[in-house]
Amino acid sequence: MKDHPPMNGAESVVRSLHAAGVDVCFANPGTSEMQFVDALDRTGLMRCVLGLFEGVVTGAADGYARMANVPAATLLHLAPGLSNASANMHNARKARSPMLNLVGDHAVRHRGYDAPLTSDVAGAAAPFSDWIKTATSPETFAQDAMEGLAAAMARPNGVATLIAPADIGWDAGGVVAPPPPPPEFAALDENAVTEAAGKLDAQTVLLAGGTVLEHPGALALLHGIAEKTGAKVLAPTSNRRCERGAGRAAINKVPYPINMALETLAPFKRAILIETVPPVAFFAYPGKPSLLLPAECEVMTLAGLDGDGPAAIEALADCVGASQRIAPAVLPPSPMAGAITPATIAAAIANALPENAIVVDESITGGRDMWGATQAAAPHSWISLTGGAIGDGIPMALGAAVACPDRPVVSLQADGSAMYTIQGLWSQAREQANITTVIFANRTYEILKTELFAVGANPGRSALDMLDLDRPNLDFVALARGMGVPAQRIEDAAALQRAIEDAVLEPGPSLIEAMM
């Protein structure tokens, strides 16, 4: 019988992760990760997806986790590669998406020589990670990975980064580690349920986020509570995922613009939080508060970020005698032939969405009408930018498609933020992912123009030149085709709806540049 070579550290990690349910690795590896490349190839236990930029890798892992409810692994190269990945680690952390990053480092014996890529990997990881550890031996490497996986999956989920010196991965002595125990919710406080029930009236807002938005039954119960008591229901501005569409209870969000947010929340004297925190403005503005609830508003938490929001809502509904409520929603009419505007593009997409689609929303300013218009669209999942670091949409769509290959993905993508991770289109083509990307081509950073005026500026030509995407105009049809994605340019709203309806039926990725 042929003897097998002893297991090295990298193989023990791959085998342990697979046994714990992690079977996808999004990767942009370098020399210090070659032992993982070899282990992934030899074991064949994980699907490996290459990103041409590290921000694509972590953005895809974010989208995958939001739809699969388990983390993918990422494979990154030293501190510079990790730094390239950090913006979408930030978005994942704000979304509370579970993520486990494996980041290669120089071999222990090589660190002292200040090689060109020597740097502080842990320091680069710290601002964007909830858990960081550096492996110290092949024998304990897999156990370290299981600790990281447990940290990523612990309520309310987090970003874990395991630093892997090259020699710890290639040296023999690896030992497969058992999977971590399943995460637990924080216990529901029955007294908090009774207290919350006593506060429900027309001057109370129920702010619900987290897993509540992923459970249509919980949302319907929340609306039943509101109907029974007169309270209002809102979601945070940014959320990890929401299950919505025809036959499901719709929920409005706290608006992004500061004045609209303050106006929306001004009537409330009490706020009850369910898997969320008190809403805060995205930025400070002259003469405006940072906290969006009125200063005199009484705030209580029914279920924290680590709690079971749907269970808390069920208990509250029992306490007040409420049942599920789904208000009818009306689909906007299909747009007539004419210009593509925020209103007509929203109507086109609402009518074109297929059943069971996954919508990835990074449409920014051009998509301002999208949330309301799609409330009565075919049932779908909605995932969107959470941390404000633009460039998440294209890679998130890739990750969502990998997680749910049987579901069409419709990616709503602003043109400016698309350029941050445009390389993700190449990965979509390589994986033949079922993604229809709609580029909202207004050729400007419109959101930044709004912010410029919000701080009281009176911009001149130099300021506006930093916010316009012209001279030359971006050609997304050429960019997409150059990376293997079929593409077309549409200038008519009615034609846009037809193009989306056709594209979602075709296998593989496609791109539509909608000229606004």
Side-chain angles (χ1 to χ4, degrees):
M1 181 181 293
K2 184 177 179 181
D3 291 333
H4 291 282
M7 187 184 303
N8 65 18
E11 183 176 338
S12 71
V13 170
V14 170
R15 291 191 179 279
S16 299
L17 286 173
H18 178 262
V22 179
D23 55 12
V24 174
C25 179
F26 296 98
N28 186 278
T31 301
S32 59
E33 295 78 51
M34 287 299 104
Q35 61 277 10
F36 280 104
V37 172
D38 177 63
L40 288 163
D41 177 57
R42 283 188 294 104
T43 62
L45 294 175
M46 288 192 188
R47 177 178 178 180
C48 301
V49 179
L50 175 63
L52 299 183
F53 173 66
E54 293 88 343
V56 172
V57 169
T58 49
D62 183 12
Y64 179 91
R66 296 196 203 192
M67 295 311 303
N69 289 316
V70 295
T74 76
L75 189 58
L76 304 168
H77 184 48
L78 295 158
L82 176 63
S83 296
N84 286 342
S86 62
N88 283 332
M89 289 170 62
H90 165 81
N91 286 325
R93 193 175 184 220
K94 291 294 184 179
R96 298 188 289 278
S97 297
M99 181 182 292
L100 177 61
N101 303 302
L102 303 174
V103 185
D105 195 4
H106 287 302
V108 174
R109 63 175 174 80
H110 196 62
R111 284 181 184 160
Y113 295 102
D114 196 25
L117 278 169
T118 300
S119 50
D120 182 0
V121 184
F128 309 103
S129 303
D130 299 287
W131 178 96
I132 305 169
K133 190 171 186 179
T134 300
T136 57
S137 77
E139 292 80 8
T140 58
F141 197 3
Q143 183 56 47
D144 294 337
M146 293 302 96
E147 289 179 20
L149 181 60
M153 292 296 292
R155 294 286 301 161
N157 300 151
V159 173
T161 300
L162 178 58
I163 301 165
D167 48 349
I168 304 303
W170 74 53
D171 283 349
V175 178
V176 173
E184 295 183 357
F185 292 102
L188 178 63
D189 183 348
E190 297 294 343
N191 292 329
V193 174
T194 304
E195 181 184 354
K199 296 178 183 294
L200 294 172
D201 61 25
Q203 294 180 311
T204 300
V205 60
L206 289 153
L207 282 165
T211 63
V212 173
L213 305 183
E214 300 175 24
H215 289 77
L219 279 174
L221 267 184
L222 202 57
H223 282 280
I225 293 168
E227 182 180 65
K228 183 82 172 182
T229 64
K232 302 298 186 293
V233 176
L234 287 171
T237 307
S238 303
N239 301 282
R240 176 170 67 185
R241 175 178 168 183
C242 187
E243 296 298 313
R244 57 197 304 273
R248 297 171 176 174
I251 188 167
N252 293 324
K253 300 185 294 185
V254 176
Y256 168 87
I258 180 71
N259 289 334
M260 292 177 63
L262 292 171
E263 181 182 357
T264 297
L265 296 172
F268 300 116
K269 293 185 176 179
R270 288 165 295 277
I272 298 172
L273 307 180
I274 307 170
E275 286 197 47
T276 189
V277 296
V280 62
F282 266 62
F283 303 101
Y285 300 94
K288 306 290 183 183
S290 292
L291 295 174
L292 298 177
L293 288 168
E296 67 278 7
C297 183
E298 177 191 354
V299 179
M300 73 160 291
T301 297
L302 177 60
L305 298 179
D306 59 350
D308 187 341
I313 291 169
E314 186 174 353
L316 185 60
D318 288 342
C319 193
V320 300
S323 55
Q324 290 189 0
R325 162 72 171 153
I326 300 175
V330 178
L331 192 68
S334 294
M336 304 291 288
I340 297 175
T341 65
T344 59
I345 197 171
I349 289 166
N351 284 278
L353 276 185
E355 187 91 13
N356 207 29
I358 301 169
V359 177
V360 180
D361 181 19
E362 196 181 29
S363 54
I364 318 292
T365 311
R368 61 179 178 264
D369 296 330
M370 199 65 59
W371 185 261
T374 52
Q375 287 182 346
H380 59 274
S381 302
W382 190 284
I383 62 179
S384 59
L385 180 68
T386 50
I390 60 176
D392 205 14
I394 290 173
M396 263 209 306
L398 169 65
V402 171
C404 304
D406 57 334
R407 299 179 63 178
V409 177
V410 178
S411 180
L412 313 178
Q413 182 61 59
D415 52 358
S417 56
M419 293 304 296
Y420 283 56
T421 49
I422 194 73
Q423 308 93 325
L425 293 177
W426 180 88
S427 297
Q428 292 181 10
R430 178 182 247 216
E431 298 298 319
Q432 279 301 288
N434 185 8
I435 301 167
T436 301
T437 300
V438 182
I439 298 290
F440 287 51
N442 59 11
R443 293 177 173 168
T444 181
Y445 286 120
E446 191 64 32
I447 188 68
L448 295 184
K449 289 183 178 178
T450 301
E451 295 295 336
L452 189 63
F453 287 107
V455 299
N458 184 22
R461 185 68 261 165
S462 293
L464 294 176
D465 277 347
M466 288 188 280
L467 306 179
D468 284 330
L469 305 176
D470 57 5
R471 305 194 320 272
N473 289 326
L474 293 165
D475 185 344
F476 283 95
V477 172
L479 288 166
R481 289 175 178 171
M483 286 181 276
V485 175
Q488 58 182 311
R489 183 175 292 113
I490 302 289
E491 298 186 9
D492 175 79
L496 175 63
Q497 180 178 327
R498 293 193 297 271
I500 297 169
E501 290 170 339
D502 292 341
V504 296
L505 297 177
E506 295 293 327
S510 63
L511 182 142
I512 300 167
E513 186 177 17
M515 306 306 298
M516 301 183 71

